[in-house]
Amino acid sequence: MNQPDRIDDAFACLRKTDAPIDDLHSARVWSDIDARLRERRSRSWWVRFAIPLAASGSLCLCLATWLVSRHLGRPSGALVAVPSPKASLRAQATGLAHPDSISVIAPYLVSGPAPSQLLDGRHSHLEIPLGGLLRATVADQARITLLGPAELTVLSADREAIVLSLHHGVLLCDYQHRGGRSLRVRSPGAETVVVGTLFSVEATGAGTTVAVARGTVDVVAHGRTLQVGEGRRLLPTDEVPQALAGVAAERLAEHEAAVPPPQGEAGVLSVVAETKGGPIWLAGRLLGTPPLAVRLSSGPTTLVVGGRGVLDSAIGNSRVRRIETLILPGKTAVALVGGSRPSRPGDAPMPGLGGTSPHSRQSSPLAAAEVPSQEALPSDAPSPATPERDGAEETAAMAYQRAEAAMKKGDNALARRTLRTLVARFPDGEFASPARYEIARMAFATGDWQSAQREIEELRKTPLASVLAEPVQYLGCRVEMASGHRARALACLADFRASFPGSPHDAEVLALLASFRFDETCASALPLLDEYLRRYPQGAFAKDAERRRQHCPP
Amino acid sequence: MTTNMAVTSQPVAHEGDLRLVEATLAGDERKFAEIYRRHVAWVYARLTRLVGPVVERDDLLQEIFVDLHRALPRFRGEARLSTFLHRIVINVGCEFLAGIRRRPVAVLSPVQLDELIDPTASPESRAAARQKLARAFALLATLKPKKRIAFTLVVLEGMSLDEAANVVGASAEAMKQRVLHARAELEAKMARQLRKDAP
């Protein structure tokens, strides 16, 4: 192939694409543009000039006060204005920070008993109560999770290093090394020096435990420096680092998979639990367990609320709901989840979005919100026999619950029948896809590859919630393997790893890929075996991987 | 629920644009909303092709129309409004691309890429299209902004050198050189990749 052909071929896909913009998306962007244009129009001369002048004046005054106090050797109590290019003029005039600029922790998610007020502004000291969880960015270079009870203080933050002090509690951190700045975490009996990595520090009365999932950290303890590498953990009593496993590894994996900080303008979403619910997922990333409040990039978003089993992807045994909402910049939206559902059309609707809560200090109505529930289900759908319900028309949720109950009892035939009826009656409902997945899973378990394949094909035709996409693709790969389609299974597994890098099935998929490749050539299997041993040294396939690796010449 | 807008992703006709601009400048801000509605679809499509399906696109889209509003007094109707707007798209896109070159490259997620793929296609063809798009955007990300823009306009959007030069505000010869350099760089990178992938 000559040069133009090769380039034309590589970019032909781009020539054909046309990114569509739907009307809701377009309207949302317009509302932001309109707000900016209104702001421009409403700015009179004194807003343009007087406030910046006043801000500059107060900045000079504060700087002078601070310099004088430093000169006199007194502790500095002065505050200086730190203008942000994104902040409005009013915010610039009033936004005050400590002169040492150590207020570098910007929380974006709090859950449990951690107060939602922490989401306001930046902090240099945080205390999280027992059972609380906080996620934050530190100087825009680190993403941290604090598990309560915990106390964290910023000791200093300059161009060379950010120094944190973890008095007690668990700190999980993903640090991106930029501009030669390192991160140091001081904790009882140890100091952890980080260059760029995913690691955790747990400070307890017994000392400090450091665990590293990616990269390397230096731990200075008892007058000596120990290096803790990837997949290792150092307990207070350890002389040398041990393999990372158990809760520490799970926490780090969960931290990595958690929802990222917002980019650009953000609003606050509060999720209030009426009853204890399962974890909440947002665009495939774990948000947490309610009650929680989170700063999210403004725009429409879908929360997937799962019950039991969602974390291990056994979605078929969970009740899954979707709440679509629109996050507006600087506003608070409230979603109430986990409550009981109305039993039939006409009952009181699910308490939904747009209400007020203790979190909604800036409370405002939502521009658009939708809670799919039974009311939205087709009223003209056929009504099969539902012996469990006395007269009332069975909803999709009820049918799904009935199937779940049958599965629990081990009556898979009844569960399958109920799920098939559900899919036939509510083909476009929110329970149709989970039901199809469950049918496919049961078919796979009984060795009926064709039925499983058929259901998976049907699932792939519909846009899936991200929480369902991963198990569907994984099951699809297993069906391909079981039915002997080796090439398709290999492609499926490779695609799965590319699409879901943080999947809980990654270890298993990697092991399968390595085994397949090992059957072909050692050379193609070796990198996969190495990766498996590096990432999952305690995994179920580790011994086998080591044995196979020894069979391969270097 | 969302429905697709019944608008085209091609620049809309000139007729009426001048009238809308005049009305906006006379103080009727509703007419600017009309301008937005007429042009947003093709601006979004061009912007996506230019910078990729990045998460910052909405911010850039805002920036483009706020810049257009600010620049309307300079629009005298000698060129089409779409050409005028296209220049703004290029400027905003160029500034963004220059900015992201200074930051680590974010990998496009499958969800971002799916937006550009026919949803009715089979899962196999969707997976293949996703891979091709990811590779194409990764290759484009290696080019400097000016070369990337020239390549996008001329090779991907099929504009003539003169048209592209007019939009970018450069000479046709400069555009030609940028496209040639971009092609050469991409070819070298693709050849390197092929060698690397070879068993």
Side-chain angles (χ1 to χ4, degrees):
Chain A
M1 199 183 278
N2 61 26
Q3 175 180 327
D5 285 348
R6 197 145 55 182
I7 288 191
D8 285 349
D9 186 49
F11 291 97
C13 55
L14 258 182
R15 239 181 250 126
K16 289 182 220 151
T17 59
D18 241 355
I21 182 165
D22 61 56
D23 54 0
L24 176 60
H25 187 175
S26 164
R28 186 171 49 74
V29 175
W30 171 252
S31 74
D32 289 341
I33 294 171
D34 195 37
R36 284 177 66 177
L37 296 178
R38 276 174 204 277
E39 194 187 358
R40 274 185 64 202
R41 283 195 293 272
S42 66
R43 252 186 231 165
S44 55
W45 72 270
W46 64 271
V47 178
R48 285 191 192 176
F49 301 107
I51 290 181
L53 271 175
S56 318
S58 60
L59 177 72
C60 293
L61 188 67
C62 293
L63 267 175
T65 314
W66 179 60
L67 285 170
V68 167
S69 66
R70 267 189 76 148
H71 182 68
L72 294 175
R74 287 177 192 160
S76 160
L79 295 167
V80 294
V82 180
S84 145
K86 284 267 178 193
S88 69
L89 286 173
R90 195 168 295 133
Q92 284 183 24
T94 54
L96 298 174
H98 195 271
D100 291 334
S101 298
I102 57 168
S103 299
V104 290
I105 305 179
Y108 67 90
L109 184 148
V110 289
S111 81
S116 62
Q117 285 87 342
L118 289 174
L119 294 185
D120 299 335
R122 289 175 172 251
H123 305 264
S124 58
H125 179 80
L126 291 169
E127 280 183 61
I128 309 299
L130 177 69
L133 177 146
L134 175 138
R135 299 194 203 280
T137 57
V138 178
D140 299 323
Q141 249 179 291
R143 189 167 68 89
I144 62 164
T145 299
L146 262 183
L147 304 177
E151 190 178 351
L152 181 75
T153 306
V154 184
L155 296 178
S156 68
D158 55 33
R159 282 184 182 179
E160 288 178 0
I162 300 166
V163 184
L164 305 176
S165 173
L166 181 67
H167 308 283
H168 60 89
V170 179
L171 170 75
L172 305 153
C173 178
D174 189 354
Y175 186 70
Q176 289 184 352
H177 179 244
R178 282 201 305 267
R181 181 147 80 164
S182 69
L183 175 71
R184 289 164 181 267
V185 183
R186 290 183 189 161
S187 48
E191 178 167 343
T192 309
V193 184
V194 188
V195 176
T197 180
L198 173 63
F199 71 102
S200 70
V201 179
E202 183 171 1
T204 61
T208 293
T209 301
V210 178
V212 179
R214 207 175 51 232
T216 306
V217 304
D218 289 336
V219 179
V220 184
H222 312 300
R224 64 197 182 109
T225 302
L226 273 172
Q227 202 169 63
V228 185
E230 196 163 299
R232 315 298 287 176
R233 182 178 62 166
L234 186 72
L235 295 167
T237 49
D238 284 343
E239 289 294 313
V240 288
Q242 307 295 320
L244 171 63
V247 179
E250 282 167 20
R251 278 177 180 160
L252 283 164
E254 191 185 305
H255 170 77
E256 193 174 25
V259 72
Q263 292 183 335
E265 284 192 295
V268 174
L269 176 76
S270 290
V271 184
V272 187
E274 195 179 61
T275 58
K276 185 163 172 57
I280 312 255
W281 296 76
L282 183 130
R285 309 296 289 265
L286 178 67
L287 196 60
T289 308
L292 60 85
V294 58
R295 291 191 80 80
L296 292 174
S297 298
S298 53
T301 192
T302 302
L303 302 173
V304 178
V305 185
R308 177 173 58 82
V310 168
L311 272 174
D312 61 9
S313 300
I315 196 168
N317 290 332
S318 67
R319 246 176 49 177
V320 176
R321 294 191 59 219
R322 285 156 52 93
I323 297 177
E324 291 176 19
T325 184
L326 185 69
I327 312 293
L328 295 174
K331 305 292 184 188
T332 297
V334 181
L336 182 58
V337 300
S340 58
R341 289 165 168 274
S343 59
R344 68 185 89 110
D347 280 359
M350 179 90 172
L353 305 167
T356 54
S357 85
H359 301 298
S360 53
R361 293 178 308 286
Q362 308 159 278
S363 79
S364 79
L366 289 168
E370 183 189 356
V371 182
S373 65
Q374 295 87 308
E375 287 84 353
L377 296 172
S379 57
D380 55 351
S383 176
T386 52
E388 286 81 356
R389 307 288 156 198
D390 45 62
E393 191 181 38
E394 190 182 48
T395 64
M398 290 173 185
Y400 198 82
Q401 277 175 355
R402 205 150 55 82
E404 272 190 320
M407 275 188 278
K408 270 185 203 161
K409 285 182 196 160
D411 191 349
N412 283 346
L414 174 63
R416 204 159 36 237
R417 268 203 313 277
T418 312
L419 291 168
R420 283 200 191 286
T421 309
L422 189 161
V423 171
R425 283 192 68 207
F426 308 107
D428 300 317
E430 58 177 320
F431 287 91
S433 294
R436 277 196 188 283
Y437 170 77
E438 204 52 53
I439 295 169
R441 200 184 57 76
M442 284 193 275
F444 175 74
T446 54
D448 183 0
W449 319 135
Q450 279 187 341
S451 298
Q453 186 67 46
R454 204 167 43 241
E455 295 300 335
I456 286 165
E457 288 303 327
E458 286 299 320
L459 278 166
R460 283 176 175 160
K461 285 180 194 164
T462 55
L464 291 175
S466 48
V467 72
L468 195 54
E470 186 267 346
V472 166
Q473 191 170 345
Y474 181 59
L475 184 59
C477 297
R478 291 170 71 194
V479 171
E480 296 287 12
M481 274 190 310
S483 46
H485 299 129
R486 188 186 173 85
R488 269 158 48 182
L490 262 172
C492 181
L493 290 169
D495 191 39
F496 178 91
R497 288 205 78 211
S499 304
F500 306 100
S503 159
H505 295 117
D506 187 63
E508 204 172 329
V509 172
L510 186 54
L512 287 168
L513 269 174
S515 301
F516 269 131
R517 293 292 184 202
F518 184 80
D519 293 342
E520 290 170 4
T521 59
C522 263
S524 61
L526 207 51
L528 294 166
L529 292 169
D530 282 341
E531 187 182 350
Y532 187 93
L533 288 168
R534 195 175 64 249
R535 296 184 65 163
Y536 309 105
Q538 302 296 313
F541 181 65
K543 278 185 189 162
D544 205 17
E546 188 60 57
R547 190 174 51 77
R548 289 177 189 224
R549 200 174 166 279
Q550 281 165 4
H551 278 89
C552 291
Chain B
M1 280 287 138
T2 62
T3 54
N4 283 329
M5 285 183 95
V7 285
T8 169
S9 60
Q10 293 301 312
V12 291
H14 184 51
E15 291 79 36
D17 274 348
L18 192 58
R19 195 170 35 80
L20 291 172
V21 172
E22 283 168 356
T24 306
L25 290 174
D28 187 354
E29 288 295 334
R30 282 171 308 177
K31 299 297 181 201
F32 187 68
E34 180 61 29
I35 293 176
Y36 171 82
R37 271 194 292 276
R38 292 184 79 166
H39 293 276
V40 67
W42 74 262
V43 168
Y44 191 72
R46 292 282 158 95
L47 183 67
T48 303
R49 211 170 282 153
L50 197 63
V51 300
V54 293
V55 289
E56 294 91 343
R57 259 180 318 166
D58 284 3
D59 292 343
L60 298 176
L61 196 58
Q62 269 187 49
E63 209 60 53
I64 288 164
F65 280 95
V66 170
D67 282 2
L68 173 68
H69 189 269
R70 200 178 291 138
L72 277 185
R74 294 203 307 273
F75 178 70
R76 288 191 290 274
E78 288 155 0
R80 296 156 71 102
L81 183 67
S82 54
T83 310
F84 189 71
L85 187 51
H86 206 163
R87 282 188 200 134
I88 298 176
V89 175
I90 299 295
N91 286 340
V92 170
C94 187
E95 206 173 298
F96 172 75
L97 291 173
I100 57 166
R101 275 181 71 82
R102 292 190 286 269
R103 300 198 295 269
V105 180
V107 178
L108 293 170
S109 70
V111 178
Q112 286 169 293
L113 293 169
D114 275 355
E115 188 194 322
L116 307 177
I117 299 170
D118 179 7
T120 59
S122 69
E124 290 81 9
S125 35
R126 284 170 67 80
R130 213 183 284 140
Q131 276 183 354
K132 279 185 179 172
L133 281 171
R135 208 176 301 136
F137 279 120
L139 278 168
L140 285 177
T142 61
L143 295 175
K144 285 189 176 171
K146 283 184 180 174
K147 285 183 205 164
R148 179 171 175 172
I149 287 167
F151 182 82
T152 305
L153 293 180
V154 176
V155 180
L156 301 185
E157 297 198 348
M159 291 173 91
S160 71
L161 286 173
D162 286 333
E163 284 170 333
N166 182 33
V167 169
V168 172
S171 68
E173 185 54 33
M175 286 305 287
K176 188 178 166 186
Q177 290 305 320
R178 284 175 199 170
V179 174
L180 286 174
H181 280 128
R183 272 184 172 281
E185 279 181 33
L186 290 172
E187 172 60 21
K189 283 189 180 95
M190 287 165 70
R192 261 205 303 277
Q193 190 63 42
L194 276 178
R195 277 200 299 275
K196 213 166 109 183
D197 292 345

